[in-house]
Amino acid sequence: MPDTALSPAPEACAGFPIEEALCEIVSNDAVNAEYRLMIARAPEAALRARAGQFFHLLCPATEAGQPFLRRPMSIYRIDPARGEIGFLYKVTGKGTRGLATLRPGEMLNALGPLGRGFTLPADTRHVMILGRGVGLATMAPLARLAAESGAAVTAVLSARSPELVMSRGELEAAGARVIEVVDTDGSSAPEEMEPRLAALHAERAFDYIATCGSNRLFRLARGLARSWGIPGEIALEQHMGCGLGMCYACVIPVALPGGGEEYRRVCWDGPVFTLEEAKGW
Amino acid sequence: MPDTALSPAPEACAGFPIEEALCEIVSNDAVNAEYRLMIARAPEAALRARAGQFFHLLCPATEAGQPFLRRPMSIYRIDPARGEIGFLYKVTGKGTRGLATLRPGEMLNALGPLGRGFTLPADTRHVMILGRGVGLATMAPLARLAAESGAAVTAVLSARSPELVMSRGELEAAGARVIEVVDTDGSSAPEEMEPRLAALHAERAFDYIATCGSNRLFRLARGLARSWGIPGEIALEQHMGCGLGMCYACVIPVALPGGGEEYRRVCWDGPVFTLEEAKGW
Amino acid sequence: MVTNSAPDLSVRIGSLTLKNPVMPASGTIAEGMTQVIDMGRLGAIVLKTITPDLRQGTLPPRVAEYRDATLFSIGIPSKGPDYLLEHTLPAYAACDAPLVASVSADTAEDFGKLAAYISDPRIAAIEANISCPNLKADGRAFGMDPEATREVLERMVAATRIPVWAKLTPNVGDITVFARVAEEAGCEAVIVGNAILGMAVDAEAMRPRLGNVMGGLTGPAVKPILLRMVHQCAKAVQIPVIGCGGITGGEDAVEYMLAGATAVQVGTANFIRPHTMTEAVDWIADYCTRHGLSAAREITGALRPLHAPATAPTETV
Amino acid sequence: MVTNSAPDLSVRIGSLTLKNPVMPASGTIAEGMTQVIDMGRLGAIVLKTITPDLRQGTLPPRVAEYRDATLFSIGIPSKGPDYLLEHTLPAYAACDAPLVASVSADTAEDFGKLAAYISDPRIAAIEANISCPNLKADGRAFGMDPEATREVLERMVAATRIPVWAKLTPNVGDITVFARVAEEAGCEAVIVGNAILGMAVDAEAMRPRLGNVMGGLTGPAVKPILLRMVHQCAKAVQIPVIGCGGITGGEDAVEYMLAGATAVQVGTANFIRPHTMTEAVDWIADYCTRHGLSAAREITGALRPLHAPATAPTETV
Ligand SMILES: Cc1cc2nc3c(=O)[nH]c(=O)nc-3n(C[C@H](O)[C@H](O)[C@H](O)COP(=O)(O)OP(=O)(O)OC[C@H]3O[C@@H](n4cnc5c(N)ncnc54)[C@H](O)[C@@H]3O)c2cc1C
Ligand SMILES: Cc1cc2nc3c(=O)[nH]c(=O)nc-3n(C[C@H](O)[C@H](O)[C@H](O)COP(=O)(O)OP(=O)(O)OC[C@H]3O[C@@H](n4cnc5c(N)ncnc54)[C@H](O)[C@@H]3O)c2cc1C
Ligand SMILES: Cc1cc2nc3c(=O)[nH]c(=O)nc-3n(C[C@H](O)[C@H](O)[C@H](O)COP(=O)(O)O)c2cc1C
Ligand SMILES: Cc1cc2nc3c(=O)[nH]c(=O)nc-3n(C[C@H](O)[C@H](O)[C@H](O)COP(=O)(O)O)c2cc1C
Ligand code: FES
Ligand code: FES
């Protein structure tokens, strides 16, 4: 399982496409008991972020001190017209608690855009998005990307309970059809979802699936993609050091086409991997 | 120079006279460009502080992080009637910058009262106080103590320039006669001060001298005390670990009556030492 | 294992049973502490190292702060063994906790003699502080040389019937070598360990921050290093390992115990939060209750393997 | 010595002259950095350690944060020497800075062979990363044993005409022993040093935080320890000492230089503030100007004694 993945061709000592962007906070409000949405005014380089890419955020100090490492956060909204980017994040520990203290007008240091985002195949006509929890943050820009390239989007949002469903508005604004499934009524169970998704496919065939945020959804997505013979991708997470492909902390094993596996860096070779490369967890 | 000073008789596992007092900030305002006065409501144990004692303060975090060690600060005001204590401090580094951020209503964790304060000899009638800079903070409660025991006080306040003279009000309120000397007009030079103080002594004899905050004033005070044959004390400073006589970080060498010297702990054996023990620096 | 009664916090250190696993690290408490906390609530009270002779200690300034750590260079200012017997022991007589003396000397012989001299029934154990310079080896610390360590410890064990604990220095390559030496020499426990030698410089002043240039790094910053050493030693020896380094509360104490420590010592934290040790005792009791453990000793070595999932992404559900 | 012209930042490391004393620490930059900063502004570019064989590295999770430090257990995921020659070196060809390779192997022989194999004119120096396990000594790291260290370094020096630098591990007792071995073996510099072995435990989960249980402690927390080792080594050898450990900016770099380092390497800070190294170069230039130094090399070893006043109280005037 050697780490032999080739790095993208380096542009040594040339331009500096990755920047420590200093972004002024526009708003940073709770969307429910666990999640917050942070919108920030960003310089041009940051606005070039693409769906599935992420930023590495320097989180402000709290009483618990300054979070030492940066924290990776997917791009949730890219709005070049308003010059804004957005993050949807779950308040978890030291770093995200620090993010939650940012007030409008304060500055956020966001390194990026980083990583390899989603690659919508040419001529994609109908995209299926399967997202849950934090995974939804990654999906919103993909819906916009699909819409811009003329593809329809059906987004299935999974959550523990109806009030925890997020991003509906963001996805609908991007032109997606949104379907909610929840644990409370059992509709999020894979056995329940599979026939429902198959019916949607029969109605209007999907030609690309993207997923994030749940192992169950990943397995479901891979099964469907295989049986329908279509490609798909997943955005993965791993604890990170640098976010720049330098430290090799963020590796995950990926399956190799010929069998066997090797480690890839989530920050540099990912965070988006094909459903065939990715392994369940 | 062995560290053989005897510790005060321990009151092992009995009462706990030293407390982590949680004090509510009443005010914390700048008195000039460098100094701030912080008044806090204190529990009873803290109000038992005596002139020359100090508290070991847990300073709030700033962007530079949480100051790890506590910071020693002399008691500047003890007001049992109002239940308040006060500190006069110079904003210097990480710790005192943290103190400067405290707002009314916030809490200060003050360990104390600590150390051995001033010991006014019985029947003292006229006290001379010589103070400069931060040293003045230590002197104010002594003036009150002297007043309460029926002694007159003449306080000579030394500063770089007239606008930096501090504590005049505090000392006058305690009934002290206040004389200011400054560098700008040369009046603070020991050669200038000495005849002036001698004249005061001739007018009304001093029988105790206390000083703090300047090596020049210390030498002057010791010289006068020797020539007048009266006792005197000085409050000293040293970098501290514990403030409780436990770590032996805060030692200074003191002269022994028989010749030679030994280390004493500023926090436990001091911070007040006799003018004969203390050594210039 | 879930229990409703209060957990049993007692731990065994060789022939001693301590009522809980928390004690101060040598040199970080003195009689002053009895005026702030109830020292009788501790598992043991470890006293400052003494030497046979009177000593002054190092040049001030003796302390420098650096982020979440301190550098102390105190030396061993010592009032000698008679002061210990006549003044220090009585000062803690009212505290319901076993007293542990700590000794150091310039030669192995003197370690043994000092242990014999202070063999007093009021002392429950004697720590050997072997981080000090060996006068017969050009001032190289005893604790950095396995044979010098062995000689010191064997002499002490032979010289006294009081249990001997060896306090190892972390300024070595493979600390397990020294833990094994201590076990072979007949020590009833090893403390892992003393401060790590460090240095601080004031760039603008172009000067060191300590009078002694170098000093012992202590406080939270050193915890990951000492935790690793405790883990290594606990696997290498059968005698109890007492963890020490950067403990600021019950959670740190439990981390050491999970890594293999039977008990812990708290040092620098006493200077900042004098209630650290007594609060840690309470925290450990609460931890046992939360984790369904009937006794604190069940924590020792209970670290489970991290079953790293085949792919590591978190199930963010 | 006060000068108005820009200070000369160049430093000599053996037969090389670097335009300034700041370079990355091995394993903490990769091609990605060229997309963020101008690597051509650095004194040198040190590349990640390679091994003769392809390696996977350790089990994730590979990083844990602890206060002002990190624990990394990466292992040495290596793409082998051909990848270095064919892909890595070209990736930095446009950067105006000498390239320093770093090598590791399972046996002393293989260290020598690898040094010979990569002796390419594009490489200005080769670092020996001797913190890795010696397969012939039960996996004990080469760098913890003076004789194993000597054998590795002598073989490398014999195998190549490119200058060899020895990167010492701090996980030893007396590091000066190893610095002297490096000097005797013909190395042109020592780097002091690699990460300190540490460990982190999640008390609530009762599990280690790293897939590999132990990992290298890096970042600001380790600076006082490495600073002390640099100071000791600079007094022990004539060859330049390159300081490394917890440097977050120019001030830390100057502290290392005052303690005796000729140059410095920046590691973990690159992950958090990618401009750390280039900003440190500017800070050092400014420091020289402020202190009236015409050249950065004057900082090396310029630490003055702390003339501790007879009594230490500060003149608070
Ligand atoms: C590419 C990528 C994109 C992400 N996008 C989002 C997003 O859009 N919204 C969102 O809420 N979360 C997202 N996450 C997860 C987010 O990074 C973590 O929740 C966050 O780092 C937790 O930090 P903390 O200090 O609050 O928590 P703590 O648990 O205190 O963190 C401790 C350490 O573990 C790391 N860590 C903890 N959880 C994770 C995790 N799931 N993935 C990676 N590192 C972790 C932290 O970065 C930190 O170094 C993403 C993660 C990755 C890798
Ligand atoms: C008994 C005593 C009473 C004091 N009373 C007062 C007072 O009433 N008002 C006042 O303004 N200052 C007083 N000081 C000095 C005050 O403690 C220091 O100014 C303060 O600690 C500086 O901390 P800092 O973090 O702001 O500065 P930094 O310079 O960043 O401090 C770094 C470290 O050095 C220590 N340190 C720095 N200067 C001193 C000093 N002069 N004495 C002891 N330690 C020092 C700090 O405590 C800290 O550990 C007193 C000192 C002592 C020992
Ligand atoms: C001020 C101070 C004095 C110390 N004196 C001694 C001592 O006399 N004997 C000893 O064995 N260790 C001594 N130590 C080391 C501590 O016992 C302890 O091993 C070290 O501080 C690490 O623990 P900590 O990180 O909790 O402080 C001293 C430490 C400090 C900070
Ligand atoms: C992620 C990571 C990978 C590293 N890889 C190597 C390596 O391949 N070879 C090496 O000699 N040192 C390696 N190191 C050690 C660093 O070069 C450096 O010695 C150490 O991080 C201390 O410096 P710092 O505190 O500035 O990070 C690595 C360190 C980190 C954090
Ligand atoms: S986080 Fe450093 S390589 Fe991915
Ligand atoms: S500060 Fe610890 S003994 Fe004085």
Side-chain angles (χ1 to χ4, degrees), chain B residues 166-197:
Chain B
M166 285 182 305
S167 299
R168 182 172 195 121
E170 191 81 8
L171 287 158
E172 283 176 345
R177 164 172 62 164
V178 172
I179 295 169
E180 295 181 5
V181 295
V182 290
D183 299 357
T184 38
D185 67 5
S187 57
S188 64
E191 327 65 273
E192 294 291 320
M193 285 177 74
E194 183 159 357
R196 212 162 149 195
L197 298 176

Side-chain angles (χ1 to χ4, degrees), chain B residues 183-256:
Chain B
D183 299 357
T184 38
D185 67 5
S187 57
S188 64
E191 327 65 273
E192 294 291 320
M193 285 177 74
E194 183 159 357
R196 212 162 149 195
L197 298 176
L200 293 175
H201 183 60
E203 192 185 286
R204 179 171 181 186
F206 293 106
D207 43 13
Y208 171 79
I209 305 184
T211 184
C212 184
S214 152
N215 193 30
R216 285 194 317 181
L217 289 185
F218 160 63
R219 290 178 189 281
L220 179 62
R222 189 174 54 185
L224 294 174
R226 280 181 186 164
S227 72
W228 300 341
I230 62 170
E233 291 180 303
I234 178 169
L236 294 176
E237 295 184 2
Q238 180 55 287
H239 289 219
M240 290 189 176
C242 65
L244 281 167
M246 312 197 296
C247 72
Y248 287 82
C250 65
V251 300
I252 49 145
V254 301
L256 296 176

Side-chain angles (χ1 to χ4, degrees), chain D:
Chain D
M1 268 190 325
V2 179
T3 165
N4 291 319
S5 55
D8 173 7
L9 297 186
S10 71
V11 295
R12 288 204 48 168
I13 307 288
S15 51
L16 293 179
T17 299
L18 310 183
K19 66 174 165 294
N20 65 59
V22 181
M23 59 187 105
S26 177
T28 69
I29 58 106
E31 296 90 315
M33 199 61 147
T34 63
Q35 302 196 15
V36 196
I37 68 162
D38 180 358
M39 302 279 284
R41 289 201 58 215
L42 303 177
I45 299 176
V46 184
L47 306 173
K48 182 157 184 69
T49 302
I50 58 158
T51 55
D53 48 333
L54 304 188
R55 298 204 184 180
Q56 60 166 344
T58 51
L59 263 186
R62 289 179 169 185
V63 58
E65 175 181 285
Y66 170 70
R67 297 192 177 227
D68 290 347
T70 43
L71 286 148
F72 280 95
S73 80
I74 305 293
I76 305 183
S78 166
K79 298 174 191 158
D82 293 328
Y83 189 91
L84 174 84
L85 298 171
E86 288 159 29
H87 293 95
T88 314
L89 296 184
Y92 297 98
C95 302
D96 176 28
L99 299 181
V100 179
S102 169
V103 300
S104 189
D106 291 336
T107 65
E109 293 81 351
D110 285 350
F111 266 97
K113 284 188 201 152
L114 185 54
Y117 190 86
I118 63 161
S119 289
D120 182 290
R122 293 170 296 174
I123 294 178
I126 305 180
E127 265 188 32
N129 175 0
I130 52 174
S131 298
C132 56
N134 179 351
L135 281 198
K136 296 204 176 149
D138 265 344
R140 207 179 131 89
F142 287 95
M144 288 175 70
D145 175 29
E147 286 320 305
T149 297
R150 186 186 305 276
E151 201 191 339
V152 164
L153 299 177
E154 284 179 351
R155 280 185 189 265
M156 284 180 62
V157 169
T160 181
R161 300 181 61 172
I162 296 177
V164 173
W165 300 353
K167 181 159 177 185
L168 306 183
T169 165
N171 301 303
V172 297
D174 181 355
I175 194 158
T176 64
V177 169
F178 297 83
R180 279 196 215 94
V181 163
E183 180 170 47
E184 288 158 15
C187 292
E188 292 199 357
V190 284
I191 295 101
V192 176
N194 219 309
I196 303 181
L197 202 58
M199 176 174 167
V201 169
D202 182 335
E204 294 306 327
M206 298 179 121
R207 295 184 201 282
R209 290 191 187 273
L210 293 175
N212 194 43
V213 184
M214 298 188 209
L217 186 71
T218 68
V222 307
K223 188 182 71 172
I225 303 172
L226 274 299
L227 201 55
R228 179 263 297 180
M229 292 186 172
V230 163
H231 190 60
Q232 292 175 314
C233 288
K235 287 191 288 190
V237 295
Q238 304 295 317
I239 54 173
V241 176
I242 300 175
C244 176
I247 296 176
T248 63
E251 187 169 359
D252 294 324
V254 165
E255 290 176 10
Y256 272 100
M257 293 177 75
L258 287 167
T262 300
V264 295
Q265 294 187 346
V266 176
T268 308
N270 293 317
F271 305 159
I272 298 154
R273 300 269 190 186
H275 296 275
T276 302
M277 292 186 291
T278 47
E279 286 173 7
V281 173
D282 298 337
W283 200 95
I284 295 168
D286 182 56
Y287 179 89
C288 289
T289 306
R290 275 191 288 119
H291 287 264
L293 305 173
S294 57
R297 61 181 164 273
E298 292 172 35
I299 307 171
T300 297
L303 198 69
R304 298 185 289 215
L306 179 65
H307 291 296
T311 59
T314 333
E315 172 83 13
T316 48
V317 174

Side-chain angles (χ1 to χ4, degrees), chain B residues 241 246-249, chain C residues 24-29 46-50 62 70-77 102-104 127-131 167-168 191-196 216-223 226 244-248 256 265-271:
Chain B
M246 312 197 296
C247 72
Y248 287 82
Chain C
S26 177
T28 69
I29 58 107
V46 184
L47 306 172
K48 181 156 184 72
T49 302
I50 58 157
R62 288 178 169 186
T70 43
L71 286 148
F72 280 94
S73 79
I74 305 293
I76 305 183
S102 169
V103 301
S104 189
E127 264 188 33
N129 174 1
I130 53 174
S131 298
K167 180 160 177 184
L168 306 184
I191 296 102
V192 176
N194 218 309
I196 303 181
L217 185 71
T218 67
V222 307
K223 189 182 68 171
L226 274 300
C244 177
I247 295 177
T248 62
Y256 272 98
Q265 294 187 347
V266 176
T268 309
N270 293 317
F271 305 159

